[in-house]
Amino acid sequence: MKIYFGILKKEVRFSEAKKYMRSAGIRVIRYYPKLRLVRFETEKKPDEWFLHFFDSMEEERDDFVPL
């Protein structure tokens, strides 16, 4: 499973996005309301469904190099 971050569009309420995501088998891990950022986990590769809810989205990475 992969973890993603998505920024909700202004017109989308978190409750409706969460309802859809749960019905599609996507697990919502955390929602950051001030940032409108959703962290979620899914086996499916996000394609067009995310365009309805998110302005942008990115896969979580762990390849950061300390300075």
Side-chain angles (χ1 to χ4, degrees), residues 17-63:
K18 182 179 179 180
K19 182 179 177 182
Y20 172 81
M21 292 169 80
R22 280 188 175 173
S23 69
I26 300 166
R27 184 174 79 96
V28 175
I29 298 171
R30 179 113 193 235
Y31 174 59
Y32 304 90
K34 290 191 180 206
L35 302 173
R36 298 190 50 79
L37 183 74
V38 181
R39 184 175 183 222
F40 58 95
E41 183 178 44
T42 181
E43 289 181 357
K44 303 173 186 176
K45 182 173 179 163
D47 48 14
E48 292 198 20
W49 65 264
F50 77 89
L51 293 174
H52 300 290
F53 300 108
F54 300 108
D55 278 332
S56 66
M57 190 176 63
E58 186 158 334
E59 184 177 345
E60 183 179 66
R61 301 182 335 187
D62 63 351
D63 61 348

